[in-house]
Amino acid sequence: MNLVCPRITQETLARDCAALGVVPGDTVMVHASLRAVGPLLAGPDTLIAAILQSLGEAGTMMVYLGCPSPYDDIGRGLHPPEDERFIEEHCPPFDPCLTRASRDFGVLPEFFRGHPQVRCSANAGMRMGAVGARADFLTRAHGPNYGLGEGSPLARLCEVDGKVLLVGSDLDQVTLLHYAEAVAPIEGKRLAHVRVPVLRGGARVWLDVEEFDTMNGIKDWPDRFFGAIVEGFIAAGLGRSGPIGQATCHLLPARALVDFAVPIMTATAAQLA
């Protein structure tokens, strides 16, 4: 049997990143569809290495890791009571470094979590991983409550004039827009109250957490609301677009995207009231 050799290499991807506008010293939050990028020589680690190469020693790459079910499930009504009781009795504690990334975000987060230099934040459901010069700044002191709001890695991404790099990913899944939800002056935001198993003093305890309801939306937003915001931002010429491998990609300044989204969210929430 003749095998087809993948032809997309780290060097070709690094050139594509540079052409898109990823420069040494940048801080970028990456969302990626590995399938969209195409056949990578040596697999997903090749894309991670290419982005880090483009960023250089002074740059930083961040990825949303989250956690797998059922670590962040209790209290959301996802399981019947008997299953919740079983989870509470048997689920091991969340470990920021060792617990697997959420399966909902594709392949990249788990590969990135396994990077030898990754720093992981401590919030289970909103956990971020980062590699590079600002990794500790982005991920440290990520408290259990309102993990995508003020003081979160997303807020810090904006603080350092970071960027969002979408590599063939769904425009409706841009995590940074949850930060825009958190800071937008909207009344009556929907909240979620969950319980997460963590390790305290060598023992597992269940921590009560309050957060904005990102699973169901803080409001009953229109279908693909985030995607429409990102599309409008790109159409306004506020980002850069181009290929990385075979994927259609976008590089968006984080603070500008939040500033663009907040008034749209505020106006839309007022219409829904």
Side-chain angles (χ1 to χ4, degrees):
M1 181 176 63
N2 293 325
L3 298 177
V4 177
C5 176
R7 298 292 180 181
I8 300 176
T9 68
Q10 178 179 331
E11 291 303 323
T12 59
L13 293 174
R15 288 196 295 270
D16 289 346
C17 288
L20 184 60
V22 179
V23 298
D26 271 351
T27 298
V28 298
M29 181 174 185
V30 179
H31 297 265
S33 165
L34 275 297
R35 183 174 299 175
V37 176
L40 296 167
L41 186 63
D45 290 323
T46 298
L47 178 62
I48 296 170
I51 295 172
L52 291 173
Q53 178 181 331
S54 301
L55 295 170
E57 292 185 2
T60 309
M61 177 178 174
M62 184 167 79
V63 173
Y64 186 14
L65 305 180
C67 62
S69 178
Y71 284 96
D72 192 40
D73 289 357
I74 301 301
R76 297 188 186 275
L78 300 174
H79 307 284
E82 60 271 22
D83 287 347
E84 286 207 349
R85 289 192 294 270
F86 183 86
I87 292 167
E88 288 182 322
E89 182 177 354
H90 297 286
C91 186
F94 169 77
D95 185 301
C97 297
L98 298 180
T99 299
R100 300 288 187 183
S102 173
R103 298 171 179 83
D104 295 337
F105 309 144
V107 172
L108 181 73
E110 177 58 20
F111 274 83
F112 190 72
R113 185 199 63 82
H115 191 282
Q117 297 174 346
V118 74
R119 299 295 296 269
C120 297
S121 70
N123 184 302
M126 315 306 177
R127 177 177 49 157
M128 304 283 174
V131 172
R134 291 190 171 112
D136 180 69
F137 171 76
L138 292 171
T139 59
R140 71 185 180 215
H142 190 185
N145 297 312
Y146 299 101
L148 299 179
E150 294 290 7
S152 71
L154 298 181
R156 294 171 186 167
L157 179 72
C158 293
E159 184 179 335
V160 299
D161 293 323
K163 302 173 183 178
V164 176
L165 176 60
L166 307 177
V167 183
S169 58
D170 186 350
L171 301 187
D172 199 48
Q173 301 295 322
V174 176
T175 305
L176 182 64
L177 291 184
H178 288 305
Y179 174 64
E181 284 184 315
V183 301
I186 297 170
E187 295 184 359
K189 297 177 184 179
R190 189 179 289 130
L191 301 179
H193 296 88
V194 299
R195 303 180 69 221
V196 178
V198 297
L199 199 62
R200 294 286 188 271
R204 186 194 64 174
V205 299
W206 284 86
L207 183 68
D208 291 319
V209 173
E210 182 175 271
E211 62 190 35
F212 292 117
D213 190 355
T214 58
M215 180 175 291
N216 298 302
I218 66 163
K219 291 289 184 180
D220 292 322
W221 296 129
D223 187 48
R224 293 191 61 80
F225 184 50
F226 280 17
I229 292 173
V230 176
E231 287 170 1
F233 186 83
I234 294 169
L238 299 174
R240 298 182 61 168
S241 302
I244 296 178
Q246 298 174 3
T248 299
C249 303
H250 308 282
L251 186 64
L252 314 174
R255 171 52 64 185
L257 179 57
V258 171
D259 291 344
F260 182 85
V262 166
I264 296 174
M265 291 177 171
T266 305
T268 303
Q271 294 170 2
L272 294 171

